[in-house]
Amino acid sequence: MARFPTSPAPNLLLRLFSSNKRSSSPTAALLTGDFHLIRHFSAGTAARAAKDEKEPWWKESMDKLRNIGISAHIDSGKTTLTERVLFYTGRIHEIHEVRGRDGVGAKMDSMDLEREKGITIQSAATYCTWKDYKVNIIDTPGHVDFTIEVERALRVLDGAILVLCSVGGVQSQSITVDRQMRRYEVPRVAFINKLDRMGADPWKVLNQARAKLRHHSAAVQVPIGLEENFQGLIDLIHVKANFYHGSSGENVVAGDIPADLEGLVADKRRELIETVSEVDDILAEKFLNDEPVSASELEEAIRRATIAQKFVPVFMGSAFKNKGVQPLLDGVISYLPSPNEVNNYALDQTNNEERVTLTGSPDGPLVALAFKLEEGRFGQLTYLRVYEGVIKKGDFIINVNTGKRIKVPRLVRMHSNDMEDIQEAHAGQIVAVFGVECASGDTFTDGSVKYTMTSMSVPEPVMSLAVQPVSKDSGGQFSKALNRFQKEDPTFRVGLDPESGQTIISGMGELHLDIYVERIRREYKVDATVGKPRVNFRETITQRAEFDYLHKKQSGGAGQYGRVTGYMEPLPPGSKEKFEFENMIVGQAIPSGFIPAIEKGFKEAANSGSLIGHPVENLRIVLTDGAAHAVDSSELAFKMAAIYAFRLCYTAARPVILEPVMLVELKVPTEFQGTVAGDINKRKGIIVGNDQEGDDSVITANVPLNNMFGYSTSLRSMTQGKGEFTMEYKEHSAVSNEVQAQLVSAYNASKAAE
């Protein structure tokens, strides 16, 4: 399905020409097989020829490049699909299964933990070649605890494959990754996998994608048989049947369309044309005039609509049974954009962070984004997406965020955990560099511009654990591990409990933190003891309260004097900021030099509310008046005044405790529905949805995280091991009065015990 005819020029001539990339002439057009140019020259349209002659040297290599991610709900078959893609493109020579039963495991799951658990923990990058096109692929985790891995992969990709399970359909994490794709405006194709499974129904999944994901989509294939009778696929664009032969489905054989499917194929092709014509004017004209639509016209219309994010073509198959992967690869080439068809923006730091459209050309100044860090055997490995310009080994580059000038000591292309040294990379490529100290989200340039790329959306951690090394001697390795994981993963945070002195790690869920504790043990040989999981409660206020506090202390020599007057109030719902400070003093009642110290004091006080010692959020402090002393006032005095003013005024503002509430999706056999729903109510959950899917009930509920510890064990025992659930953070909301009283008394008791 390549967009251009294959060049008739011999490879040798092509290579000779490519060494002189920048020359551009009728001869060059002939050598590169640029058929557009050849036609124009032969037709004698000199004006068009002159325009096309100026086509830059990098245009063809950019047109033949795709950067894609593979994302889906847990267990939809992403890593299995990537394994098949690598096999058919010749990157690996034998297929291994995800759980590593053969002792090898899938290529993209390079960590031992990934192979044992059969889940993807880290996104892994690779590249391959399909029909003269270079494809960079990032395989991402499906589990919501590792959502940042999906977030940062989609941030730098030009297109994506959304994998859906033909039995499970559109599940909770499918909705999350689709939302992330929308956030970064990533065009996508969908792949309905596992058509060989019992209960497979691709048409049900397609309707779910339209309803739940609001996809404007249609199938580009029709399966021949389903479940154990799944034999092949009918291509609706070229109207031909494909069967997959050979031990690994590597031989695609075209055959006749079975007679019993001819009516369905005609209907589905018409539906495809109709759906695309709703969002593509050129095709709409043909459709309304009832003119026949050729395969190439339909293909071009699907490409235009997909790149414009108005349409999602739906492919089908079974990655595990090696059927349907090659047409999906053709679809990636045909319908997903090349890097120069995507608009990328940077912020110009020299001009008030004005948005600048990047040309995406290797001729421009270097702009590259560090989107992922890993601690490798040879030091820090930094994954870069090059948006403009060229990066070469040995070049000096500038980290715009820190201003540091760094030399690029080693440049590599990644193939999971294998590396291939390269000398240079140009715009559109995804590479990795060694020995470059930076943080995730830093932008690098060649120094001629001061651009930064927009940052990623990083969700707040919802759960914390106290960890400490068993042996005191391993403290150095322990802190080294925590520092490394913090740099690699923006959702993993490390802090100290000021009261107990324990190290607290925070993350996106139980599995997330368990994996890191296990990695500390395996990768750093440090055994750690883990305390009871702690929920990240927050405190907030519900009404306005005034403060007027004078801090006065006389102790030999200069004293301390500072008076602050004003009020605190809750921020309106939906505010982006969690804390606001406003100085509304008219005149010089407090010298302006002390105002930052007052703000600092209030901020510090808000780090620990008086109810249960958790941070206070959604709070606005307004300073209206105050007083200073010519000799005794100091920054410290005003900071202390602010801290005491906050503490005195806080109780008058009727504070409440906020707890993280999780959106929980359960899938349980219908016979256990009542028991599971009753248990959710016991856990103070609110059931917001209950659907039927075959013999299963899908229950959606909002449940406080504090009541969800150890839930996987309870669910297994309630459903004889048949139930499954996923949960993701929804919001912080106020606890009931009864729970608040329990939390406050437990906090006071623990303080008294100390």
Side-chain angles (χ1 to χ4, degrees), residues 519-536:
R519 283 184 67 187
I520 291 170
R521 194 172 64 75
R522 290 185 183 209
E523 294 171 31
Y524 288 87
K525 308 289 183 282
V526 176
D527 271 330
T529 53
V530 178
K532 180 184 177 294
R534 202 185 71 154
V535 173
N536 289 350

Side-chain angles (χ1 to χ4, degrees), residues 8 97 184 189 193 206-207 209 216 244 259 283 287 294 321 330 344 381 545 559 564 615 631 646 707:
E97 292 322 323
Y184 296 113
V189 299
N193 194 15
L206 178 56
N207 288 330
H216 188 75
Y244 301 87
L283 191 70
F287 177 70
S294 71
K321 289 286 165 69
D330 288 337
N344 287 304
L381 179 69
V564 289
V631 179
F646 181 92
N707 304 337

Side-chain angles (χ1 to χ4, degrees), residues 14-229:
L14 268 172
R15 272 206 303 279
L16 277 170
F17 173 69
S18 64
S19 65
N20 183 14
K21 290 173 183 164
R22 291 178 189 267
S23 92
S24 160
S25 64
T27 325
L30 186 65
L31 288 173
T32 48
D34 191 332
F35 274 54
H36 299 297
L37 276 178
I38 295 165
R39 269 204 306 278
H40 296 323
F41 281 116
S42 59
T45 50
R48 281 293 300 275
K51 186 181 168 195
D52 274 331
E53 240 189 308
K54 287 177 191 160
E55 200 165 84
W57 59 272
W58 44 265
K59 183 81 169 70
E60 189 177 6
S61 71
M62 288 281 268
D63 281 344
K64 296 209 161 187
L65 181 62
R66 298 287 181 272
N67 292 316
I68 62 159
I70 299 181
S71 302
H73 186 83
I74 311 151
D75 249 6
S76 299
K78 298 175 297 300
T79 306
T80 305
L81 174 62
T82 314
E83 188 80 355
R84 301 307 185 269
V85 167
L86 295 178
F87 177 74
Y88 297 134
T89 56
R91 286 295 284 143
I92 56 175
H93 303 296
E94 51 186 22
I95 291 171
H96 296 286
E97 292 322 323
V98 168
R99 282 195 182 268
R101 292 190 186 93
D102 54 3
V104 180
K107 177 70 192 170
M108 300 305 278
D109 283 350
S110 56
M111 282 169 66
D112 291 342
L113 264 173
E114 292 180 314
R115 291 175 178 185
E116 279 171 33
K117 291 182 180 284
I119 59 169
T120 302
I121 292 168
Q122 288 186 329
S123 54
T126 186
Y127 67 96
C128 54
T129 306
W130 181 251
K131 296 186 177 175
D132 291 340
Y133 283 76
K134 287 188 169 60
V135 185
N136 288 313
I137 301 172
I138 298 184
D139 174 31
T140 62
H143 208 287
V144 69
D145 285 25
F146 309 109
T147 190
I148 190 66
E149 291 287 330
V150 186
E151 193 84 36
R152 59 175 154 209
L154 291 174
R155 169 69 186 80
V156 298
L157 293 169
D158 305 322
I161 300 172
L162 175 65
V163 184
L164 300 168
C165 171
S166 65
V167 183
V170 173
Q171 292 156 287
S172 60
Q173 191 62 8
S174 320
I175 297 169
T176 304
V177 295
D178 189 73
R179 195 184 309 127
Q180 289 170 319
M181 289 174 189
R182 280 182 205 274
R183 183 181 301 141
Y184 296 113
E185 298 182 352
V186 178
R188 51 208 172 280
V189 299
F191 179 67
I192 299 177
N193 194 15
K194 302 190 178 185
L195 291 188
D196 58 305
R197 288 259 309 271
M198 277 289 284
D201 184 351
W203 307 115
K204 176 197 79 176
V205 180
L206 178 56
N207 288 330
Q208 279 184 353
R210 288 168 176 167
K212 289 187 180 179
L213 303 177
R214 302 192 310 284
H215 277 185
H216 188 75
S217 58
V220 293
Q221 292 170 319
V222 167
I224 303 169
L226 284 172
E227 301 178 353
E228 68 267 25
N229 301 320

Side-chain angles (χ1 to χ4, degrees), residues 634-751:
S634 64
E635 287 194 356
L636 177 66
F638 275 107
K639 185 180 163 187
M640 296 311 292
I643 290 173
Y644 290 123
F646 181 92
R647 287 180 187 165
L648 282 176
C649 169
Y650 186 60
T651 31
R654 296 220 1 237
V656 293
I657 298 169
L658 303 175
E659 65 181 340
V661 173
M662 309 303 279
L663 177 66
V664 181
E665 187 177 279
L666 299 122
K667 195 170 187 181
V668 297
T670 306
E671 71 240 48
F672 304 114
Q673 182 184 344
T675 320
V676 170
D679 182 69
I680 288 285
N681 288 332
K682 247 191 254 167
R683 292 172 190 269
K684 304 212 165 53
I686 297 165
I687 293 173
V688 290
N690 195 340
D691 292 327
Q692 206 62 28
E693 263 185 31
D695 297 334
D696 289 337
S697 283
V698 178
I699 300 169
T700 317
N702 297 333
V703 191
L705 174 63
N706 203 26
N707 304 337
M708 285 299 287
F709 292 128
Y711 186 65
S712 48
T713 317
S714 311
L715 184 66
R716 273 192 215 115
S717 58
M718 277 187 290
T719 60
Q720 296 168 12
K722 293 173 188 165
E724 56 182 56
F725 81 102
T726 58
M727 68 175 182
E728 61 181 290
Y729 169 72
K730 184 174 184 285
E731 62 190 1
H732 267 80
S733 67
V735 301
S736 64
N737 292 341
E738 173 201 349
V739 172
Q740 179 152 322
Q742 285 171 3
L743 289 169
V744 171
S745 62
Y747 175 69
N748 292 337
S750 71
K751 281 192 80 172

Side-chain angles (χ1 to χ4, degrees), residues 266-281:
D267 288 348
K268 291 293 176 190
R269 189 173 198 269
R270 186 172 174 80
E271 185 186 311
L272 171 64
I273 294 169
E274 194 174 337
T275 311
V276 178
S277 64
E278 284 172 24
V279 290
D280 185 82
D281 297 342

